[in-house]
């Protein structure tokens, strides 16, 4: 980390998804003069989707990019200083905390709100990108509604995959659960729920190698017992393909200072965005292995800004 301190701020927000922008709205209205760095994906994950139908306040739905632009404009209206830049290094050993931006500029911050999100893991097959937004999704809660009475596949064998399959089974006509191994990694309870759901068919020992369809996903190319002498190619007809093989929280640069779980989600004091470092808060998907929704991210962004304000007033800054 460079020794030169370029700038001192009272509240630094890292990330520009719903959590970061909401924190910026609240922090600016509380006179904290927040500085927000947008990171590599200004507007966050929702900029990669089309319709968002479950964010309260938009009865007709709104596109992800429009929603994020609205949030940004609302934060700008109250004076948030929103900048392009990536936090590349941190020193949270003592307040004020030092955050390096783009490997060169160092910001000294009295409070830090980490809102860096989480990235869904993909299988790595080119068709996932080809059909992004056209039948490929990494969020059943977000997109399941579009597949009512249709046929979908969920990839994964853990608790999340089972949960997503069960959720989708309540909407779709048929759900295939595509599992690479000959067993499910999920807890016994989840496994039982899957096996007891009549419209879920588990395809054990299947790998997805491609997707097909004219104007969107119409099916998946699978291989059963891939690499074995009896390997078999199988095509299934589906309308939607849901990835449920995990997320990677963007928490690496904070790990030396704060606690994370085994996956990398930042641990906070239950019910609050407080980390174990005073004045450092975590909001949104980076600290949320359970819900990962825009509204919950916005909610915790609000909490983080309120906590930052209270912390600063307690320490008299
Ligand atoms: C395709 C898709 C569709 C979805 N649809 C819906 C939906 O319909 N409804 C819904 O509620 N949810 C939906 N979600 C989930 C929703 O997008 C997330 O729950 C939400 O965006 C999480 O917000 P966040 O603020 O925590 O982080 P994110 O939106 O993940 O944003 C993280 C931000 O952090 C920044 N960042 C990361 N690292 C750094 C760094 N080192 N320095 C600076 N900045 C950094 C990134 O640039 C980004 O701006 C969808 C997600 C996807 C991928």
């Amino acid at each position: 980390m460079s020794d030169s301190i370029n700038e001192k701020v009272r509240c630094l927000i890292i990330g520009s998804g719903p959590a970061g922008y909401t924190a910026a709205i609240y922090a600016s209205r509380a006179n904290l003069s927040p500085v927000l760095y947008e990171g590599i994906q200004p507007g966050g994950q929702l900029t990669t989707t089309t319709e968002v139908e479950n964010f309260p306040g938009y009865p007709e739905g709104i596109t992800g990019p429009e929603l994020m632009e609205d949030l940004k404009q609302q934060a700008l209206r109250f004076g948030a200083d929103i900048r392009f830049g990536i936090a590349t290094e941190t020193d949270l050993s003592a307040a004020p905390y030092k955050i390096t931006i783009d490997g060169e500029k160092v910001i000294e911050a009295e409070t830090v709100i980490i809102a860096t999100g989480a990235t869904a893991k993909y299988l790595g097959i080119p068709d996932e990108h080809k059909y992004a937004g056209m039948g490929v999704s990494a969020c059943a809660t977000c997109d399941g509604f579009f597949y009512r009475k249709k046929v979908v596949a969920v990839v994964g064998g853990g608790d999340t995959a089972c949960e997503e399959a069960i959720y989708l089974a309540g909407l779709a006509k048929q759900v295939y659960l595509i599992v690479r191994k000959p067993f499910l990694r999920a807890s016994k309870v989840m496994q039982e729920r899957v096996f007891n759901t009549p419209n879920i068919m588990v395809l054990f020992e299947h790998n997805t190698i491609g997707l097909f369809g004219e104007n969107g996903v119409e099916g998946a190319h699978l291989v059963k017992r891939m690499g074995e002498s009896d390997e078999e190619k199988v095509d299934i007809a589906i309308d939607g393909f849901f990835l449920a093989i995990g997320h990677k929280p963007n928490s690496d640069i904070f790990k030396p200072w704060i606690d994370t779980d085994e996956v990398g989600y930042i641990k906070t004091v239950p019910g609050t965005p407080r980390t174990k470092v005073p004045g450092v808060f975590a909001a949104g998907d980076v600290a949320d292995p359970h819900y990962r929704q825009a509204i919950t991210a916005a909610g915790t962004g609000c909490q983080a800004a309120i906590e930052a304000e209270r912390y600063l007033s307690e320490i008299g800054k």
Side-chain angles (χ1 to χ4, degrees), residues 13-21 37-55 68 85-88 101 115-120 122 133 136-139 141-143 146 250 253-254 283-286 291-298 300:
I13 300 168
I14 309 173
S16 57
Y21 283 153
Y37 279 95
E38 292 184 311
I40 203 161
Q41 190 177 47
Q45 293 176 58
L46 280 186
T47 58
T48 66
T49 192
T50 48
E51 283 303 300
V52 178
E53 294 194 330
N54 54 10
F55 198 87
M68 295 318 299
I86 299 169
T88 46
I101 304 297
T116 46
T119 313
Y122 284 79
V136 172
S137 171
C139 177
T141 315
C142 311
D143 296 328
F146 299 116
N250 302 315
I253 55 169
F254 309 102
D285 283 13
V286 73
Y291 305 108
R292 289 190 298 257
Q293 293 295 292
I295 188 64
T296 47
T300 50

Side-chain angles (χ1 to χ4, degrees), residues 35-91:
V35 169
L36 179 151
Y37 279 95
E38 292 184 311
I40 203 161
Q41 190 177 47
Q45 293 176 58
L46 280 186
T47 58
T48 66
T49 192
T50 48
E51 283 303 300
V52 178
E53 294 194 330
N54 54 10
F55 198 87
Y58 295 97
E60 304 304 324
I62 183 164
T63 70
E66 279 176 304
L67 171 59
M68 295 318 299
E69 188 55 30
D70 280 357
L71 286 175
K72 179 177 181 177
Q73 290 307 323
Q74 198 172 348
L76 286 170
R77 180 178 154 217
F78 299 112
D81 184 346
I82 297 176
R83 306 172 181 176
F84 188 71
I86 299 169
T88 46
E89 214 179 319
T90 63
D91 178 354

Side-chain angles (χ1 to χ4, degrees), residues 1-260:
M1 179 172 287
S2 152
D3 287 339
S4 61
I5 306 294
N6 301 115
E7 195 180 352
K8 294 178 189 234
V9 303
R10 294 177 75 209
C11 178
L12 180 69
I13 300 168
I14 309 173
S16 57
Y21 283 153
T22 305
I25 293 167
Y26 276 77
S28 5
R29 294 187 78 251
N31 260 347
L32 304 190
S33 310
V35 169
L36 179 151
Y37 279 95
E38 292 184 311
I40 203 161
Q41 190 177 47
Q45 293 176 58
L46 280 186
T47 58
T48 66
T49 192
T50 48
E51 283 303 300
V52 178
E53 294 194 330
N54 54 10
F55 198 87
Y58 295 97
E60 304 304 324
I62 183 164
T63 70
E66 279 176 304
L67 171 59
M68 295 318 299
E69 188 55 30
D70 280 357
L71 286 175
K72 179 177 181 177
Q73 290 307 323
Q74 198 172 348
L76 286 170
R77 180 178 154 217
F78 299 112
D81 184 346
I82 297 176
R83 306 172 181 176
F84 188 71
I86 299 169
T88 46
E89 214 179 319
T90 63
D91 178 354
L92 308 181
S93 56
Y97 306 111
K98 296 179 191 66
I99 313 291
T100 307
I101 304 297
D102 296 331
E104 37 190 46
K105 181 183 169 98
V106 178
I107 305 259
E108 222 181 55
E110 293 296 340
T111 60
V112 178
I113 296 177
I114 303 168
T116 46
T119 313
K121 289 184 189 163
Y122 284 79
L123 295 171
I125 54 172
D127 286 343
E128 290 169 319
H129 300 289
K130 181 175 166 191
Y131 293 102
M134 296 164 66
V136 172
S137 171
C139 177
T141 315
C142 311
D143 296 328
F145 192 73
F146 299 116
Y147 297 92
R148 276 164 302 161
K149 307 228 179 332
K150 297 194 172 176
V151 180
V152 298
V154 177
V155 182
D159 276 329
T160 305
C162 291
E163 236 168 58
E164 306 250 295
I166 292 161
Y167 176 77
L168 288 166
L171 296 164
K173 186 167 67 184
Q174 166 78 50
V175 179
Y176 294 106
L177 182 58
I178 303 172
V179 185
R180 229 165 9 117
K181 303 227 164 94
F183 54 86
L184 289 170
R185 275 185 299 109
S187 61
K188 275 274 168 291
V189 181
M190 289 308 291
Q191 294 193 28
E192 269 167 31
R193 288 182 61 196
V194 163
F195 295 135
N196 290 333
T197 306
N199 60 338
I200 299 180
M201 181 188 285
V202 186
L203 302 177
F204 286 113
E205 294 186 272
H206 281 72
N207 277 267
T208 310
I209 55 163
L211 300 168
F212 59 88
E214 287 277 311
N215 299 310
V217 170
E218 290 173 15
H221 300 298
L222 312 180
V223 179
K224 187 175 179 187
R225 292 179 53 77
M226 197 151 101
E228 302 296 324
S229 55
D230 58 349
E231 103 168 10
E232 196 185 320
K233 289 202 167 129
V234 186
D235 281 356
I236 53 169
I238 51 170
D239 305 293
F241 183 75
F242 286 83
L243 281 310
I245 52 174
H247 284 75
K248 181 176 182 338
N250 302 315
S251 61
D252 287 354
I253 55 169
F254 309 102
K255 276 183 183 165
W257 319 104
I258 54 178
D259 291 338
T260 57

